[in-house]
């Protein structure tokens, strides 16, 4: 992340959710009517340009011609996966929710009913959080903590802000782990595990190195990674398919639910997206502290 500059990928994923929300209900993968509020002029113009029926039809056709659906379908799918995990946890009883690298996540507001009585903490890179709070007023009751996860420990600030490790808690780490290097990602996971009582939850997505791909798709994968580096948010951590389970188990987490790209496609690509497959690098996890 570039010092003093808000995350661009955070705005891109908000744009993706805004576009998904503009779909007809039968084709809608996730529902985030607040996402639009976080878009600057360029992203807002893109949202408007892609809203007309013809533009959306062209976009769908492109995905049908290509073999796999891209981030525009994956991001809403991962949001739906995490929303469902959050609803399950809330129905069992939840006291605290921590969003790490919250970006323009609007759950504190759009799921306010589900989160009634849940103490919410949002931690993010300082410039991203400052922009979020400029674009839309803070949600009453939410605790906002500016933290650079790549260099600052967050346990102490979270505890000082009132987080109680003995309560029923969940951490949400959506779209972030791959931007940290592996030792730092592991350190954050270890800290989350120390803060969670057994049975607590962690929801996240990660990049799994795709299996043998044809040359155009190998290049597309590399180009995607290079594009993230160009906006100052290089991908630093990917996992080999064989280590997904052991990486998290070694840090004290069991897998309660795992959806790789094929499973995410089956669960969430609905309506006119049905039958499409997501690019095989994506994976969403619902982890439980052992
Ligand atoms: C792709 S966005 C995802 C945002 C949000 N979780 C979502 O899914 O809408 C990546 C987020 O990670 C945050 N992030 C990246 N590196 C970070 C760091 N070193 N410390 C804190 N936050 C970081 C960015 O500020 C941004 O909000």
């Amino acid at each position: 992340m570039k010092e003093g500059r808000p995350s661009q990928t955070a705005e891109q994923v908000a744009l993706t959710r805004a576009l998904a929300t503009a779909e007809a209900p039968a084709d809608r993968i996730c529902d985030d009517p607040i996402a639009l509020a976080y878009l600057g002029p360029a992203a807002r113009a893109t949202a408007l340009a892609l809203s007309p029926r013809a533009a959306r039809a062209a976009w769908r056709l492109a995905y049908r011609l290509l073999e796999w659906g891209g981030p525009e379908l994956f991001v809403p799918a991962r949001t739906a996966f995490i929303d469902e995990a959050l609803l399950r946890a809330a129905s069992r009883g939840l006291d605290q929710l921590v969003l790490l690298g919250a970006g323009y996540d609007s759950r504190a507001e759009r799921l306010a009913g589900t989160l009634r009585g849940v103490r919410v903490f949002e931690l993010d890179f300082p410039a991203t959080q400052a922009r979020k709070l400029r674009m839309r007023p803070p949600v009453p009751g939410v605790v906002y903590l500016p933290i650079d996860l790549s260099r600052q420990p967050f346990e102490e600030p979270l505890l000082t802000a009132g987080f109680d490790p003995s309560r029923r808690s969940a951490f949400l780490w959506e779209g972030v782990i791959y931007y940290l290097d592996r030792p730092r990602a592991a350190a954050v996971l270890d800290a989350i595990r120390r803060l969670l009582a057994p049975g607590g939850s962690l929801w996240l997505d990660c990049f799994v190195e795709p299996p043998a791909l044809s040359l155009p798709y190998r290049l597309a994968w590399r180009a995607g990674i290079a594009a993230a580096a160009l906006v100052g948010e290089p991908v630093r951590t990917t996992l080999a398919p064989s280590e997904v389970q052991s990486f998290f188990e070694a840090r004290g987490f069991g897998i309660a639910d795992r959806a790789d790209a094929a499973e995410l496609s089956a669960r969430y690509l609905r309506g006119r997206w049905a039958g499409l497959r997501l690019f095989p690098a994506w994976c969403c996890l619902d982890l439980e502290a052992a």
Side-chain angles (χ1 to χ4, degrees):
M1 297 282 301
K2 287 196 177 143
E3 207 60 61
R5 226 178 67 179
S7 161
Q8 290 195 31
T9 60
E11 192 181 359
Q12 282 160 13
V13 296
L15 169 61
T16 307
R17 286 195 290 264
L19 288 168
T21 304
E23 294 287 345
D27 304 330
R28 197 175 292 151
I29 301 171
C30 80
D31 195 5
D32 183 1
I34 299 167
L36 205 53
Y38 293 115
L39 305 186
R44 207 168 259 268
T46 307
L48 282 177
L50 288 176
S51 295
R53 189 182 283 262
R56 292 212 300 274
W59 195 6
R60 284 194 188 95
L61 180 65
Y63 277 138
R64 297 256 170 236
L65 295 175
L66 298 166
E67 197 177 350
W68 288 302
E72 298 78 8
L73 298 183
F74 166 62
V75 170
R78 85 176 179 204
T79 296
F81 177 92
I82 294 177
D83 280 356
E84 288 175 9
L86 173 54
L87 293 180
R88 281 196 300 274
S91 69
R92 292 192 299 266
L94 185 66
D95 301 317
Q96 304 176 112
L97 174 67
V98 181
L99 289 82
L100 285 182
Y104 306 118
D105 186 313
S106 68
R107 288 185 178 92
E109 203 174 344
R110 76 182 164 81
L111 301 180
T114 304
L115 293 172
R116 190 162 299 123
V118 178
R119 188 115 201 255
V120 178
F121 301 83
E122 290 201 4
L123 279 61
D124 205 354
F125 192 71
T128 314
Q129 189 170 83
R131 181 180 182 273
K132 180 177 201 175
L133 296 174
R134 278 198 307 275
M135 300 291 284
R136 198 163 171 88
V139 180
V142 172
V143 178
Y144 296 92
L145 296 173
I147 301 272
D148 181 347
L149 291 172
S150 66
R151 41 180 114 161
Q152 288 172 272
F154 66 93
E155 275 173 280
E156 209 47 52
L158 195 55
L159 293 168
T160 306
F163 180 87
D164 179 351
S166 67
R167 315 279 317 247
R168 294 168 300 183
S169 307
F171 279 72
L172 197 158
W173 206 17
E174 182 177 5
V176 190
I177 189 171
Y178 21 83
Y179 299 119
L180 302 181
D181 61 29
R182 197 177 263 248
R184 197 60 207 142
V188 170
L189 286 168
D190 291 340
I192 296 173
R193 180 61 195 85
R194 286 192 293 273
L195 290 164
L196 280 175
S201 296
L202 166 61
W203 308 306
L204 81 163
D205 62 304
C206 55
F207 287 165
V208 181
E209 286 144 28
L213 295 171
S214 60
L215 184 63
Y217 285 103
R218 252 195 339 265
L219 294 177
W221 168 242
R222 291 283 145 221
I225 289 189
L230 273 181
V231 297
E233 298 174 54
V235 170
R236 293 191 162 98
T237 294
T238 57
L239 298 175
S242 58
E243 67 173 342
V244 175
Q245 191 167 345
S246 56
F247 182 73
F248 294 103
E249 280 181 357
R251 296 190 162 80
F253 291 98
I255 297 184
D257 188 20
R258 170 176 174 174
D260 291 285
E263 179 62 22
L264 286 169
S265 311
R267 284 191 205 177
Y268 301 111
L269 299 196
R270 55 177 66 101
R272 275 181 273 186
W273 306 114
L276 267 176
R277 293 182 303 159
L278 290 168
F279 189 77
W282 289 309
C283 176
C284 288
L285 294 165
D286 172 357
L287 302 177
E288 187 178 309

